[in-house]
Amino acid sequence: MSISVSISHQIGKFALDADFSIEEPGITALFGPSGSGKTTIINIIAGLTRPRRGRVQLGDRVLFDHARSINLAIRKRRVGYVFQDARLFPHMSVHDNLYYGAKRNRLKLAASDQQDIIEMLGIHKLLHRQPNNLSGGEKQRVALGRALLANPDVLLLDEPLSALDQARKEEILPYFESLRDQRKLPILYVSHAIDEVARLADQMVVIDNGKTLANGSVFDMLGRTDLAPLAGQFDTGTVLPARVASRDPKAQVSFLDCAGQRIVVPYLGHAINTPVRLHIRARDVMIARTPPAGISANNVIPVTIIRMAGSNNDTLDISLAFGHDLDAIHTGPASDRPSIHARITSWSANRLNLGLHQKVFAVIKSVTVNGHLREQ
Ligand code: ADP
Ligand code: MG
């Protein structure tokens, strides 16, 4: 199921011009600073806001087309929406909340599929409770269940974790991950938290001040240093697929294999060989000319400088390909050697006399990669 959005809208002085399409199931992050127009875009897809011009298409169904005067009613759009605050009906039990949308739906899910969703979300024990005595995390799981039971063609999640504390976030994130990994329906996930995006998203659409700036795979987009000054909290970094190679519960560390490179991270519960995703922020990577001795950082990786660019006067963004055996001439797009990004001050780059194709060492503290790992 693909989604294509090409709309313009005006709210007071705020002009929205969004243009993107999503071809794949899985999670697409709609990322941008507060006030950039993310909620407005998903309200337009859901039919809560009618744009001035443009078109919204879901699979082969046209939801909105200004030129052809098409504007499908909300309930006919087959769109599941989870708001930032769960917005459950306070006078209905959890059970009645869950089946509210499903009841009125002609394309009902089979009872066994409904049961699977309720079990997957771990809410079967809550069915007879009232929303006002649920925790924030439980409310969000019920809201997610309500959206899924209506059997939507797309799921819209508007900062579904932002009202929760870190412990509640950790409780919900695995449900989003399993939804993503089932790959049954496309999920548009609004967020302004880069670590959530790095953990969950497959694709990423970057929004700033009502405009879609860029659109692509999360692996490519998170490495884009040019987006950092534009999109507020955009924090350039690297997302790499890795695998749990071994682990030492006594020492409380796990060893990952990332394209042949061993990377030490704080202990993970995951079994050997579990595929995980590694997120390393560019500002957490140091560069050394020689392998440092007597240092607490656990990861000292031989790398070759393949790109240097000033992000502003004070800092440099440096791309580092794994390995010292790299033929620097052949490091164009054809090279599938993994690389990581480092952001350092121009002053230290000058002090170290860094230059293109130089063989150096990337120094990464183990703790900085914690919390951004997930099963692929
Ligand atoms: P985001 O979800 O990215 O934080 P929104 O889509 O909520 O952004 O808002 C985009 C812009 O539209 C903001 O500048 C906001 O002030 C404005 N806006 C949104 N809704 C309204 C409204 N009902 N009335 C006036 N301005 C609004
Ligand atoms: Mg919003």
Side-chain angles (χ1 to χ4, degrees), residues 336-362:
D336 55 5
R337 192 73 71 100
S339 61
I340 56 175
H341 302 283
R343 171 164 291 177
I344 61 171
T345 59
S346 307
W347 190 74
S348 70
N350 285 335
R351 191 166 51 79
L352 293 180
N353 201 14
L354 297 182
L356 207 56
H357 304 160
Q358 214 165 43
K359 297 171 176 38
V360 292
F361 297 85

Side-chain angles (χ1 to χ4, degrees), residues 34-35 37-40 84 158-159 190:
S34 183
K38 305 181 297 293
T39 298
T40 308
Q84 198 166 346
D158 192 2
E159 307 209 27
V190 170

Side-chain angles (χ1 to χ4, degrees), residues 163-371:
L164 305 178
D165 59 38
Q166 193 56 37
R168 296 289 89 72
K169 283 183 188 170
E170 291 298 327
E171 169 194 321
I172 306 232
L173 278 163
Y175 298 109
F176 292 144
E177 287 171 333
S178 47
L179 268 181
R180 173 199 60 206
D181 297 339
Q182 289 171 4
R183 307 196 79 76
K184 283 192 185 144
L185 80 174
I187 301 169
L188 209 50
Y189 188 101
V190 170
S191 180
H192 67 259
I194 202 85
D195 49 354
E196 254 169 59
V197 174
R199 174 162 170 172
L200 290 174
D202 303 294
Q203 305 285 315
M204 188 172 173
V205 178
V206 182
I207 318 278
D208 189 47
N209 195 22
K211 309 282 174 293
T212 32
L213 287 185
N215 180 354
S217 92
V218 73
F219 297 97
D220 296 338
M221 300 298 287
L222 280 179
R224 289 263 306 254
T225 50
D226 57 318
L227 297 174
L230 302 167
Q233 301 175 38
F234 191 96
D235 197 349
T236 301
T238 313
V239 180
L240 291 170
R243 215 162 253 289
V244 178
S246 62
R247 50 188 200 159
D248 186 342
K250 259 210 198 112
Q252 280 294 299
V253 288
S254 292
F255 300 92
L256 304 184
D257 176 10
C258 180
Q261 177 63 51
R262 192 186 80 150
I263 295 185
V264 188
V265 299
Y267 185 70
L268 303 166
H270 304 310
I272 308 295
N273 264 335
T274 307
V276 293
R277 187 186 269 199
L278 189 59
H279 178 211
I280 304 166
R281 291 166 199 264
R283 59 183 157 86
D284 289 331
V285 179
M286 288 183 266
I287 297 178
R289 290 288 303 260
T290 52
I295 186 170
S296 68
N298 284 317
N299 298 296
V300 177
I301 305 173
V303 289
T304 303
I305 297 177
I306 55 169
R307 190 172 162 274
M308 295 178 77
S311 52
N312 56 40
N313 287 337
D314 317 327
T315 59
L316 268 182
D317 287 313
I318 301 185
S319 303
L320 306 158
F322 281 11
H324 276 174
D325 53 331
L326 208 66
D327 183 348
I329 312 301
H330 298 111
T331 52
S335 162
D336 55 5
R337 192 73 71 100
S339 61
I340 56 175
H341 302 283
R343 171 164 291 177
I344 61 171
T345 59
S346 307
W347 190 74
S348 70
N350 285 335
R351 191 166 51 79
L352 293 180
N353 201 14
L354 297 182
L356 207 56
H357 304 160
Q358 214 165 43
K359 297 171 176 38
V360 292
F361 297 85
V363 181
I364 308 165
K365 289 177 67 166
S366 287
V367 286
T368 59
V369 294
N370 190 24

Side-chain angles (χ1 to χ4, degrees), residues 94-142:
V94 166
H95 174 277
D96 292 354
N97 264 285
L98 281 172
Y99 287 94
Y100 179 80
K103 260 195 322 215
R104 308 188 307 171
N105 196 334
R106 284 186 295 117
L107 290 162
K108 228 184 248 171
L109 284 173
S112 61
D113 290 339
Q114 295 183 344
Q115 211 48 44
D116 286 351
I117 289 168
I118 289 171
E119 252 151 55
M120 191 263 290
L121 291 169
I123 48 182
H124 43 286
K125 289 199 185 118
L126 307 176
L127 293 177
H128 300 293
R129 302 260 297 270
Q130 293 297 121
N132 60 10
N133 61 32
L134 299 178
S135 73
E138 288 169 339
K139 279 183 190 155
Q140 270 318 36
R141 271 148 59 197
V142 174

Side-chain angles (χ1 to χ4, degrees), residues 4-55:
S4 98
V5 174
S6 175
I7 42 103
S8 26
H9 191 52
Q10 189 86 31
I11 308 171
K13 283 187 179 150
F14 178 77
L16 178 70
D17 280 293
D19 202 338
F20 62 90
S21 59
I22 300 163
E23 304 298 333
E24 305 276 326
I27 295 184
T28 299
L30 211 51
F31 178 84
S34 183
S36 56
K38 305 181 297 293
T39 298
T40 308
I41 292 172
I42 60 167
N43 283 345
I44 286 171
I45 299 172
L48 298 168
T49 298
R50 181 188 179 139
R52 293 217 175 152
R53 275 182 298 283
R55 205 177 130 79

